[in-house]
Amino acid sequence: MVEFSMAGHDLLFLVLIVVSVGTTVRADSQLSTDYYQSKCPDALSIVQQEVAAAIQNETRMGASLLRLHFHDCFVNGCDASILLDDNATFVGEKTAGANNNSVRGYDVIDKIKAKLEEACPGVVSCADILTIAARDSVVYLGGPSWEVSLGRRDSTNASRDAANSLIPAPSFNLTALISSFSAHGLSLKNLVALSGAHTIGLARCTSFRQHIYNDTDIDSCFANSLQQSCPFSGNDDALENLDLQTPTCFDNLYYQNLLNKTGLLHSDQELYNGNSSTDSLVQTYATNTSVFFEDFSTAMVKMGNIDPLTGSEGEIRTNCRKVN
Ligand code: HEM
Ligand SMILES: *[C@@H]1O[C@H](CO)[C@@H](O)[C@H](O)[C@H]1NC(C)=O
Ligand SMILES: *[C@@H]1O[C@H](CO)[C@@H](O)[C@H](O)[C@H]1NC(C)=O
Ligand SMILES: *[C@@H]1O[C@H](CO)[C@@H](O)[C@H](O)[C@H]1NC(C)=O
Ligand SMILES: *[C@@H]1O[C@H](CO)[C@@H](O)[C@H](O)[C@H]1NC(C)=O
Ligand SMILES: *[C@@H]1O[C@H](CO)[C@@H](O)[C@H](O)[C@H]1NC(C)=O
Ligand SMILES: *[C@@H]1O[C@H](CO)[C@@H](O)[C@H](O)[C@H]1NC(C)=O
Ligand SMILES: *[C@@H]1O[C@H](CO)[C@@H](O)[C@H](O)[C@H]1NC(C)=O
Ligand SMILES: *[C@@H]1O[C@H](CO)[C@@H](O)[C@H](O)[C@H]1NC(C)=O
Ligand SMILES: *[C@@H]1O[C@H](CO)[C@@H](O)[C@H](O)[C@H]1NC(C)=O
């Protein structure tokens, strides 16, 4: 019954994608899972080792690295454009609304890149590092694993305006979330599965204030307790767990929280309100971790394949923070 109604929604969604003009998923035939096998045989183990070290030092870093990949891929494709630093003559994506004082992990990427440049100079792209690090972070924190396609190249530009308009905001309703993901070729199911990334990591008061003061689709006891550290005004940077109970475990409690109306962000709770098109998927993921892990892995591969630069496009940066 659940499967049947999901299939119906997917079909409707497919029709929406076909008629929409902004689809950006490109065939990923130029990416391959064994891309570095001969070019840089230790590439994957070097990234994995450095990701493990970074998370051992600070558990939250796994969440931060996962989010970095998402914010890269949603803005002109997975091309490491998010990593370019601003300078006197260049404005990049780091200071876009969704990224400024929020996205983290840049130093970890620098460290991984330095190790890779030592092992195989000029070979492994920053965009691929982001893709591998996101996967390894999820695995380290107890989530599923999947094979990453590799061979992305790095952009030689970036766009703050694009970052400002393409990264979904926590104030988005379900309709807006669906169109944001569909503009990147991602389905309703992909949206619900990828939102499960919020099973790890933290958010600032400023990201959930409206939800805890003005929304009705929230458990009132939960809202009251959050209001202690996130006042009506001030303390904008106070942090709370995106997953109430287990913010350092990649599990399915995020979805169980949605059923209890204890999602932290407005956009999270939009996925379940007892009467929405995504309710049955949330219910499935809340009760069956293996279905969630499977759908999350599939969706991560799909997100990682958004508009890669390949062949002679872009470059392999030697320093992820600046164009060669
Ligand atoms: C569905 C639309 C999404 C919205 C509106 C959204 C919004 C947000 C917001 C507002 C935060 C907190 C930022 C802050 O307060 O500093 C956050 C954190 C986070 N997001 Fe999302 N997000 C979405 C989808 C995703 C996806 C697809 C992923 C990855 C696959 C992801 C991964 C994360 C992670 C891991 C964190 C915690 C980062 C940390 O602790 O450093 N999010 N997100
Ligand atoms: C470890 O994490 C802390 C933040 O908790 C950070 O300031 C420090 O630079 C990190 N050290 C290493 C070696 O990554
Ligand atoms: C980014 O945040 C800093 C404060 O840390 C602020 O001074 C700056 O104006 C912000 N940049 C943009 C473009 O909003
Ligand atoms: C969702 O948000 C958009 C943009 O803010 C708004 O136009 C629309 O009416 C909202 N839809 C629903 C169902 O609330
Ligand atoms: C809640 O909504 C009211 C009325 O629309 C608005 O004045 C107020 O600023 C909102 N509060 C928050 C924290 O968003
Ligand atoms: C959801 O609420 C039920 C009933 O109050 C509770 O037993 C359960 O532990 C809650 N789930 C989570 C993930 O907090
Ligand atoms: C559920 O949603 C439908 C349309 O999506 C609406 O017609 C109906 O009134 C809603 N029911 C409740 C109880 O909110
Ligand atoms: C989860 O779903 C899978 C695939 O539909 C099924 O084989 C499995 O039995 C389910 N597990 C539980 C605990 O319901
Ligand atoms: C940004 O770089 C990409 C790849 O090098 C190129 O295709 C695109 O046209 C550039 N955009 C701008 C605005 O220069
Ligand atoms: C500023 O950044 C751009 C993009 O990375 C780079 O091409 C340029 O060389 C940088 N300028 C300086 C002075 O570092």
Side-chain angles (χ1 to χ4, degrees):
M1 185 57 198
V2 169
E3 288 301 321
F4 178 78
S5 76
M6 270 163 39
H9 288 303
D10 277 359
L11 188 63
L12 175 65
F13 200 75
L14 196 64
V15 173
L16 288 174
I17 291 171
V18 170
V19 298
S20 89
V21 285
T23 305
T24 54
V25 169
R26 193 192 289 186
D28 58 309
S29 55
Q30 291 174 85
L31 301 180
S32 61
T33 53
D34 61 356
Y35 190 80
Y36 294 114
Q37 208 159 68
S38 55
K39 293 181 173 67
C40 188
D42 293 336
L44 277 104
S45 61
I46 290 171
V47 178
Q48 185 186 36
Q49 218 173 334
E50 291 304 316
V51 166
I55 301 176
Q56 268 156 33
N57 176 60
E58 188 202 4
T59 324
R60 184 187 179 191
M61 191 50 70
S64 304
L65 292 172
L66 175 57
R67 184 170 185 234
L68 200 42
H69 180 48
F70 164 51
H71 284 207
D72 180 34
C73 293
F74 263 52
V75 183
N76 299 328
C78 311
D79 62 358
S81 55
I82 192 173
L83 299 179
L84 292 175
D85 277 342
D86 285 14
N87 62 35
T89 56
F90 178 85
V91 175
E93 295 164 18
K94 286 184 173 175
T95 49
N99 295 336
N100 201 21
N101 305 310
S102 179
V103 164
R104 49 208 300 286
Y106 301 119
D107 294 342
V108 174
I109 300 301
D110 289 341
K111 204 168 164 208
I112 297 172
K113 179 62 173 174
K115 293 267 176 194
L116 288 167
E117 286 299 298
E118 246 173 63
C120 329
V123 171
V124 184
S125 69
C126 301
D128 278 346
I129 294 173
L130 290 174
T131 315
I132 304 164
R135 191 268 314 268
D136 292 348
S137 294
V138 169
V139 172
Y140 190 92
L141 296 173
S145 190
W146 58 90
E147 286 225 88
V148 286
S149 296
L150 299 167
R152 294 167 193 76
R153 291 165 64 83
D154 301 323
S155 74
T156 52
N157 57 30
S159 169
R160 184 163 77 190
D161 289 347
N164 276 329
S165 66
L166 293 170
I167 299 170
S171 58
F172 277 19
N173 61 30
L174 183 60
T175 313
L177 291 168
I178 290 172
S179 36
S180 166
F181 276 62
S182 122
H184 293 94
L186 297 170
S187 70
L188 188 70
K189 195 192 250 191
N190 297 153
L191 163 66
V192 179
L194 287 170
S195 296
H198 291 173
T199 180
I200 53 174
L202 308 174
R204 293 165 302 157
C205 169
T206 186
S207 301
F208 57 83
R209 178 178 281 126
Q210 285 206 30
H211 183 50
I212 65 171
Y213 286 98
N214 274 356
D215 284 351
T216 52
D217 58 345
I218 183 169
D219 178 85
S220 56
C221 188
F222 177 62
N224 283 331
S225 85
L226 292 170
Q227 287 168 8
Q228 306 309 308
S229 58
C230 181
F232 196 82
S233 80
N235 220 12
D236 283 6
D237 294 332
L239 294 169
E240 287 292 343
N241 300 339
L242 280 158
D243 170 353
L244 184 57
Q245 296 90 350
T246 56
T248 61
C249 276
F250 199 99
D251 54 25
N252 72 340
L253 274 106
Y254 167 81
Y255 299 102
Q256 295 181 25
N257 290 331
L258 299 185
L259 300 182
N260 281 358
K261 294 201 188 293
T262 54
L264 184 62
L265 306 179
H266 174 78
S267 52
D268 292 327
Q269 198 58 58
E270 278 292 295
L271 303 176
Y272 185 87
N273 68 9
N275 189 34
S276 95
S277 57
T278 47
D279 285 355
S280 65
L281 264 173
V282 170
Q283 252 150 359
T284 300
Y285 296 155
T287 50
N288 192 321
T289 302
S290 45
V291 178
F292 165 46
F293 279 11
E294 175 102 358
D295 288 357
F296 183 79
S297 302
T298 302
M300 283 296 290
V301 170
K302 208 164 151 190
M303 185 175 87
N305 288 340
I306 297 173
D307 265 2
L309 299 173
T310 57
S312 60
E313 297 170 309
E315 63 181 17
I316 306 295
R317 281 182 218 145
T318 47
N319 173 346
C320 291
R321 291 176 180 270
K322 62 186 295 255
V323 169
N324 290 344

